[in-house]
Amino acid sequence: AQSENVLGYFINVERIPNSCRHLPNHISLKDTEILVNLSMANYRVNISAYNEAGESPRAIYIVPEFSVKDLPGQIHVKSQGTNAVVTWTPEYNPKCFVVDWGTGKEDMHMKIITTATGNFTLGNFQPYKLYKIMVHASDVCQCESFIKYEKTFGVTHFYSVEGVPRSGPTNVTILNITKHSALVKWTKIAAEDRLGFLQGYRISYTDSSRKTSPAVTLNSSITSYHLTGLKEKTTYRVQVSGFTNAGEGPLTLSQPFSTPKYGIVELSMHLHIPSMN
């Protein structure tokens, strides 16, 4: 019944972060949908309804992050202590660049670069934290025009200092155990525990005589591995670790498991059919 009295809606699209001091202008419309062209920066959309009595409280919608693979530029970042020097290719000289950097939506900073220097320096980076750096280009550099004219030029991720993972993978599980093989599965190391770019995993196993197999190195996207060459009727324990460019993190151990004496394929059953005579 209340919706029948609605005369229209006020919309404003707010960039996060926004170094401009004034609030974005209202967009007034009658429909219940709006199409806006946005860069890959973070945005908050405020929506309110109005009628003859006034304006409703605002509904707030955070535009979800999205990725685009065919951005026009490649961003390069080089660490200099707590600073980072950002360069880009191919060369491109819009009227200004708008740079966002931070560890997440609640910790983003914004800088407007109006000089055609070919590089710029960002500061106050902390070690072992993953930063997202976005460079947007705009040929109109007034604050209120960024949303209309800003286009994302390139995106990259950056650690000023990499560390080793502070934990190993979780939920190391042993499945499909046979006389000479077993399947190992695990859950990838959480992003906040990697402390650097995860390069891969190392997996090995130890038998009951404490003899350890050579470690196998796996791609960081892999979360399972098929062990082969196991001995029958032997107890094993698997250890898995992750590593970054800074080194290897702690091991995660599986529960002990034992291979059977007989494999499933060796089981047989003889069925005797009595004679009809």
Side-chain angles (χ1 to χ4, degrees):
Q2 291 179 339
S3 66
E4 293 177 359
N5 299 321
V6 171
L7 298 177
Y9 300 91
F10 289 131
I11 312 291
N12 66 51
V13 181
E14 185 179 359
R15 193 184 191 285
I16 311 170
N18 185 5
S19 63
C20 305
R21 295 301 177 190
H22 59 72
L23 293 174
N25 293 328
H26 273 314
I27 301 170
S28 179
L29 66 155
K30 305 292 185 183
D31 296 330
T32 56
E33 63 179 49
I34 183 172
L35 176 64
V36 290
N37 292 318
L38 301 176
S39 70
M40 291 176 66
N42 296 314
Y43 291 93
R44 176 169 48 230
V45 182
N46 302 300
I47 307 170
S48 60
Y50 67 90
N51 60 16
E52 292 178 353
E55 185 178 350
S56 74
R58 291 179 177 181
I60 298 175
Y61 174 71
I62 303 296
V63 177
E65 291 186 19
F66 59 95
S67 59
V68 178
K69 295 182 179 179
D70 57 348
L71 292 172
Q74 185 71 38
I75 307 304
H76 308 279
V77 188
K78 186 176 181 180
S79 179
Q80 285 189 350
T82 59
N83 293 335
V85 178
V86 181
T87 58
W88 59 89
T89 54
E91 292 185 3
Y92 174 51
N93 292 309
K95 288 188 177 179
C96 61
F97 284 106
V98 185
V99 187
D100 294 318
W101 76 99
T103 58
K105 288 183 179 180
E106 304 302 319
D107 176 44
M108 294 299 288
H109 309 276
M110 174 184 173
K111 187 174 184 178
I112 302 170
I113 311 292
T114 56
T115 54
T117 57
N119 66 68
F120 49 85
T121 300
L122 305 175
N124 299 318
F125 285 87
Q126 297 181 37
Y128 317 130
K129 287 192 173 184
L130 179 62
Y131 287 85
K132 184 177 184 179
I133 301 176
M134 295 181 283
V135 178
H136 318 281
S138 180
D139 285 323
V140 179
C141 297
Q142 286 76 27
C143 274
E144 66 273 9
S145 300
F146 284 144
I147 291 176
K148 293 181 181 179
Y149 298 100
E150 180 181 75
K151 295 181 180 179
T152 301
F153 179 74
V155 177
T156 192
H157 292 84
F158 170 72
Y159 284 95
S160 63
V161 177
E162 287 194 67
V164 301
R166 63 183 169 195
S167 68
T170 56
N171 302 321
V172 178
T173 308
I174 312 298
L175 304 167
N176 302 347
I177 302 168
T178 71
K179 188 168 69 166
H180 297 300
S181 67
L183 178 65
V184 185
K185 287 191 172 185
W186 60 90
T187 301
K188 64 178 68 175
I189 299 174
E192 62 270 19
D193 293 328
R194 296 174 186 177
L195 307 186
F197 291 112
L198 190 66
Q199 300 299 309
Y201 295 100
R202 292 195 177 105
I203 181 169
S204 60
Y205 56 86
T206 304
D207 63 20
S208 49
S209 66
R210 297 189 176 180
K211 182 181 178 182
T212 301
S213 69
V216 176
T217 299
L218 304 171
N219 187 297
S220 61
S221 63
I222 294 175
T223 55
S224 66
Y225 183 71
H226 193 232
L227 299 176
T228 58
L230 304 180
K231 297 178 182 178
E232 62 188 52
K233 206 175 180 183
T234 304
T235 300
Y236 290 95
R237 198 165 193 178
V238 172
Q239 45 264 351
V240 188
S241 64
F243 64 94
T244 66
N245 288 322
E248 186 174 354
L251 298 171
T252 299
L253 301 179
S254 74
Q255 291 294 322
F257 69 96
S258 297
T259 53
K261 183 176 181 180
Y262 301 105
I264 296 173
V265 294
E266 295 180 347
L267 293 176
S268 61
M269 180 172 62
H270 299 281
L271 181 62
H272 176 67
I273 301 177
S275 171
M276 300 298 293
N277 293 336

